[in-house]
Amino acid sequence: SLQIRRELGDKWGIAGLLNNLGNIAGEQGAYDEARQLFQESLQIRRELGNKQGIADSLNNLGIIALEQEVYDEARQFLAESLQIRRELGDKWGIAISLNDLGETAQFQGAYDEARQLFTESLQIRRELGDKWGIADSLNNLGTIARKQGDYNKAKQFLTESLKIKRELGDKRGIGESLLQFGKLAEAEGNSAQAVLFLIAATSLYEE
């Protein structure tokens, strides 16, 4: 437990446990609590000089800021995390940081920047053979293409993403793809098709 680790002075263990508790709090929507836990974990990891841990804590703080719609702060945390991960050559981490920065840019309406970040993330994930990550990046690129009015490109990205998600048996991911296809159909003025996609997506989420 955390108390035992504190009594033992196990700083590495304390930082890891705080980070795990922060993840749990974040998943439950307790963002202020998660932020405090990640901040304490980050402080200890900085004292230890644990670069991998520092990058992880910063990325987690960036995600919390993103959830709380504090986008400039999210950018700062994620950019520092990305810089450290590049120094470490941590390709999995780099792809995650790029993707999260892309989402931040997207929420701020910086679609060209978001597309560049998602594209670099996708390239790395293809090199790693990370199918879950590839599907995620493709889905994000499809969303950007739709928002920029490039509906053919959006359809290509979303189709490839959906194909991978079906191969993986990722029901929640398939539901997300169908939802994006619905938004695309609506953007193209096909309301009837949009409703069908929405119904199909909802049925998957309820399973």
Side-chain angles (χ1 to χ4, degrees), residues 97-114:
S97 292
L98 287 166
N99 193 70
D100 293 340
L101 273 167
E103 288 189 10
T104 306
Q106 178 185 324
F107 284 125
Q108 290 184 302
Y111 297 140
D112 286 338
E113 182 189 358

Side-chain angles (χ1 to χ4, degrees), residues 29 32 61 77 128 184 204:
D32 288 337
L61 281 163
F77 285 132
L128 293 168
L184 180 59
L204 272 171

Side-chain angles (χ1 to χ4, degrees), residues 4-68:
I4 293 168
R5 290 183 189 277
R6 285 194 196 279
E7 288 169 7
L8 292 170
D10 174 17
K11 287 195 170 186
W12 287 80
I14 293 165
L17 194 50
L18 287 166
N19 196 67
N20 292 342
L21 289 168
N23 283 326
I24 292 165
E27 284 168 12
Q28 293 175 340
Y31 298 131
D32 288 337
E33 183 187 349
R35 176 191 289 264
Q36 288 174 355
L37 290 160
F38 289 141
Q39 286 279 20
E40 190 179 350
S41 176
L42 175 62
Q43 187 178 342
I44 295 167
R45 285 169 164 176
R46 284 200 196 277
E47 288 169 10
L48 292 168
N50 174 11
K51 285 201 166 187
Q52 186 69 62
I54 292 165
D56 291 347
S57 292
L58 285 165
N59 202 86
N60 288 336
L61 281 163
I63 290 167
I64 294 298
L66 189 56
E67 291 289 351
Q68 293 188 307

Side-chain angles (χ1 to χ4, degrees), residues 95 99 121-130 133-134 136-137:
N99 193 70
S121 179
L122 173 62
Q123 186 180 344
I124 294 167
R125 285 168 162 175
R126 286 201 196 276
E127 287 171 12
L128 293 168
D130 172 19
I134 292 165
D136 183 38
S137 293

